[in-house]
């Protein structure tokens, strides 16, 4: 029997209302938790007030909302299907010849469409706001000054010096162990931000606590360049901190990630985190569809058979289990223990296979 478009719209609307309710509720809880945590961290910072803390929490909220979406889909689908089953609407639909796959289709369309919107639109907003949050949080709460940028023009690094002085380092080439720079230019500034001098060198080597620039040529402000031999520029950077200082994948737009990955790899840096994040975003629509299938396996059985609460509770536990599995697999991907494609797509694929197999057994087996 063909399902009525009106009934499809009814199921989709019912699912959408519950999804939105859980999404807003979870987002509110996480926002409050973030505000409390930021207030705790800002307690020793007299220049960081409540308004700043709220601003930081709001900037972080879109990124947090992205991680909440699978849970909102899972809980919204469980509640929607349970309510429709409890009111006998789905039982009547089945008696009229409508299969479980037909009345699951509207919810699947909503979930997959939401996943596409998340990747194509929400991800852009989250990347911009989270990048701003990272900058403000680093400056206000962690006192972080170093800034790292990798572009087709090379590596740019801004680091703090003694008594508030700063230096901006540019390099055309970077060694794979991140300890040697080639084609180096260093711009030095005093604590008030006034330009002091420019230093040029063919190489710079990172040793314990300092950049060793040799041979160095310095051009003080308004004067010609002259050789100065060996320059020792103090730093607290290490190869690990340099790698970690690159823009986090969460701060980058989904559409900008492929080009940035190419730039990183051409410069000799590892782009594993960024490639993993790119593939995990591509897998989001399938993951949200898997959450609908999992929800259906635990909420479509008639209430008269008993054990409704236990089944719904088990569905929630399995949903959290998939979340923990996703974290574990992604950790393996970040450590290069398994291919990033496998790490990104495995949770969504397992969720879909589990939901499909269980529904086939319960409904058609």
């Amino acid at each position: 029997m063909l399902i009525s478009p009106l009934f499809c719209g009814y199921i989709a609307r019912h699912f959408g209302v519950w999804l939105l309710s859980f999404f807003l509720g979870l987002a509110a809880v996480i926002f409050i938790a973030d505000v409390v945590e930021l207030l705790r961290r800002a307690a020793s910072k007299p220049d960081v007030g409540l308004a700043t803390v709220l601003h930081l929490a709001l900037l972080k909220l879109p990124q947090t909302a992205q991680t909440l979406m699978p849970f909102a889909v899972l809980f919204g689908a469980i509640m929607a299907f349970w309510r429709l089953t409890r009111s006998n609407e789905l039982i009547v639909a089945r008696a009229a010849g409508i299969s479980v796959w037909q009345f699951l289709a509207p919810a699947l369309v909503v979930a997959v469409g939401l996943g596409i919107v998340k990747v194509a639109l929400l991800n852009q907003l989250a990347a911009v706001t989270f990048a701003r949050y990272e900058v403000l949080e680093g400056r206000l709460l962690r006192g972080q000054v170093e800034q790292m940028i990798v572009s087709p023009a090379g590596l740019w690094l801004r680091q703090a010096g003694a008594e508030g002085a700063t230096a901006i380092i540019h390099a055309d080439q970077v060694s794979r162990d991140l300890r040697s720079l080639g084609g180096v230019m260093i711009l030095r500034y005093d604590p008030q931000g006034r330009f002091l001098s420019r230093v040029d060198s063919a190489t710079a080597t990172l040793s314990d606590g300092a950049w060793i620039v040799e041979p160095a040529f310095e051009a003080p402000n308004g004067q010609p360049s002259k050789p100065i031999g060996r320059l020792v520029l103090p730093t607290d950077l290490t190869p690990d901190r340099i790698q970690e200082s690159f823009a986090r994948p969460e701060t980058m737009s989904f559409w900008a990630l492929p080009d940035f990955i190419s730039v990183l790899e051409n410069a000799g840096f590892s782009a594993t985190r960024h490639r993993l994040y790119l593939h995990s975003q591509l897998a989001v629509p399938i993951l949200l569809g898997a959450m609908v299938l999992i929800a259906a396996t635990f909420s479509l059985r008639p209430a008269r058979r008993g054990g409704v609460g236990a089944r719904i509770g088990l569905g929630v536990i399995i949903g959290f289990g998939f979340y923990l599995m996703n974290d574990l697999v992604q950790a393996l991907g970040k450590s290069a223990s398994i291919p990033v494609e496998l790490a990104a797509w495995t949770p969504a694929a397992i969720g879909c296979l589990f939901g499909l197999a269980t529904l086939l057994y319960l409904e058609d087996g």
Side-chain angles (χ1 to χ4, degrees):
M1 177 180 178
L2 293 177
I3 187 171
S4 165
L6 184 63
F7 189 53
C8 283
Y10 176 75
I11 293 177
R13 184 170 64 254
H14 201 72
F15 169 57
V17 169
W18 281 109
L19 190 160
L20 182 61
S21 299
F22 277 107
F23 180 74
L24 293 178
L26 291 172
V29 171
I30 295 298
F31 175 76
I32 294 172
D34 282 339
V35 169
V36 172
E37 173 62 16
L38 289 170
L39 284 173
R40 183 192 66 80
R41 296 176 58 192
S44 59
K45 309 287 183 180
D47 55 336
V48 180
L50 178 60
T52 303
V53 166
L54 292 174
H55 179 58
L56 287 171
L58 285 172
L59 288 175
K60 189 181 178 182
L61 186 59
Q63 178 62 34
T64 306
Q66 290 195 110
T67 63
L68 295 175
M69 203 163 286
F71 294 105
V73 171
L74 175 66
F75 299 154
I78 287 176
M79 185 58 68
F81 293 141
W82 177 70
R83 291 294 297 270
L84 289 171
T85 301
R86 186 185 178 195
S87 63
N88 295 325
E89 291 170 277
L90 293 186
I91 296 175
V92 172
R94 293 188 188 198
I98 298 175
S99 72
V100 64
W101 308 107
Q102 287 178 296
F103 58 71
L104 277 182
L108 286 171
V109 169
V110 171
V112 173
L114 181 63
I116 295 172
V117 170
K118 173 202 176 291
V119 174
L121 299 178
L122 179 59
N123 179 264
Q124 321 310 307
L125 172 64
V128 172
T129 58
F130 194 63
R132 181 61 179 163
Y133 166 82
E134 288 276 283
V135 172
L136 291 177
E137 187 264 348
R139 187 175 74 240
L140 297 175
L141 300 180
R142 288 186 282 127
Q144 185 178 10
V145 179
E146 292 85 2
Q147 296 179 12
M148 193 88 61
I149 298 176
V150 179
S151 71
L155 172 72
W156 291 91
L157 165 66
R158 181 180 182 270
Q159 69 171 38
E163 299 179 354
T166 59
I168 297 177
I169 303 173
H170 173 261
D172 294 326
Q173 299 93 29
V174 184
S175 65
R176 289 196 174 273
D177 62 2
L178 306 181
R179 289 189 173 275
S180 179
L181 307 180
V184 179
M185 176 189 70
I186 302 174
L187 305 177
R188 307 177 74 179
Y189 296 85
D190 66 12
Q192 287 72 42
R194 293 188 294 264
F195 177 69
L196 295 177
S197 65
R198 167 176 169 165
V199 178
D200 294 281
S201 177
T203 61
T205 304
L206 180 62
S207 64
D208 293 336
W211 290 103
I212 308 301
V213 185
E214 187 179 18
F217 298 84
E218 185 172 24
N221 190 10
Q223 299 181 27
S225 177
K226 59 182 179 181
I228 59 172
R230 187 170 185 260
L231 172 68
V232 178
L233 184 66
T235 183
D236 59 356
L237 289 175
T238 63
D240 289 340
R241 286 193 63 183
I242 291 175
Q243 182 72 49
E244 292 171 359
S245 296
F246 296 137
R248 293 177 58 179
E250 295 85 358
T251 65
M252 304 195 66
S253 163
F254 169 80
W255 305 105
L257 275 172
D259 289 339
F260 186 75
I261 290 171
S262 177
V263 169
L264 273 182
E265 293 178 337
N266 290 338
F269 296 107
S270 171
T272 301
R273 289 188 306 160
H274 297 78
R275 289 177 57 230
L276 177 61
Y277 184 74
L278 175 64
H279 281 279
S280 65
Q281 292 301 301
L282 290 172
V284 164
I286 297 178
L287 179 63
L288 298 187
M291 292 297 103
V292 172
L293 294 174
I294 292 172
T297 62
F298 295 100
S299 56
L300 288 179
R301 308 304 291 170
R304 65 176 180 272
R305 299 189 180 184
V308 175
R311 289 200 305 270
I312 292 177
L314 182 59
V316 172
I317 291 173
I318 289 180
F320 277 107
F322 273 102
Y323 178 77
L324 295 176
M325 180 191 67
N326 182 56
D327 274 1
L328 175 61
V329 173
Q330 291 217 0
L332 293 174
K334 289 178 182 178
S335 64
S337 300
I338 60 175
V340 295
E341 293 83 1
L342 181 63
W345 290 91
T346 293
I350 291 178
C352 283
L353 292 175
F354 173 81
L356 288 172
T358 307
L359 282 173
L360 284 170
Y361 173 76
L362 294 175
E363 301 296 330
D364 300 331

